[in-house]
Amino acid sequence: MADKHNSAPATVSLAWLLANPLITAPIVSATSQNQLKTLFDAPQLELDQEDLELLNRASK
């Protein structure tokens, strides 16, 4: 999924959490500027319905 979106796995993971209406405030942390950038990229990453379904199935 990360390769498909040319993103870091953490970015995809956070974008997936942000797309879930049941999760109101995902808790994240960063210890470097690079990690912070990875997290800041998540709100701009648009996962389509197929992406979300695949990630939901993988999480079970």
Side-chain angles (χ1 to χ4, degrees), residues 5 8-9 11-12 16 21-22 28 32-33 35 38 47 49 60:
H5 290 282
T11 303
V12 173
W16 173 61
L22 298 177
V28 299
S32 70
Q33 286 184 331
Q35 288 177 347
T38 298
L47 300 172
Q49 190 61 36
K60 294 183 180 189

Side-chain angles (χ1 to χ4, degrees), residues 1 5 7 9-12 17 23 25 27 33-34 40 42-44 46 48-49 51 59-60:
M1 187 71 57
H5 290 282
S7 297
T11 303
V12 173
L17 291 173
I23 298 175
I27 298 172
Q33 286 184 331
N34 191 34
F40 282 167
Q44 289 78 37
E46 293 186 27
D48 62 27
Q49 190 61 36
D51 295 337
S59 73
K60 294 183 180 189

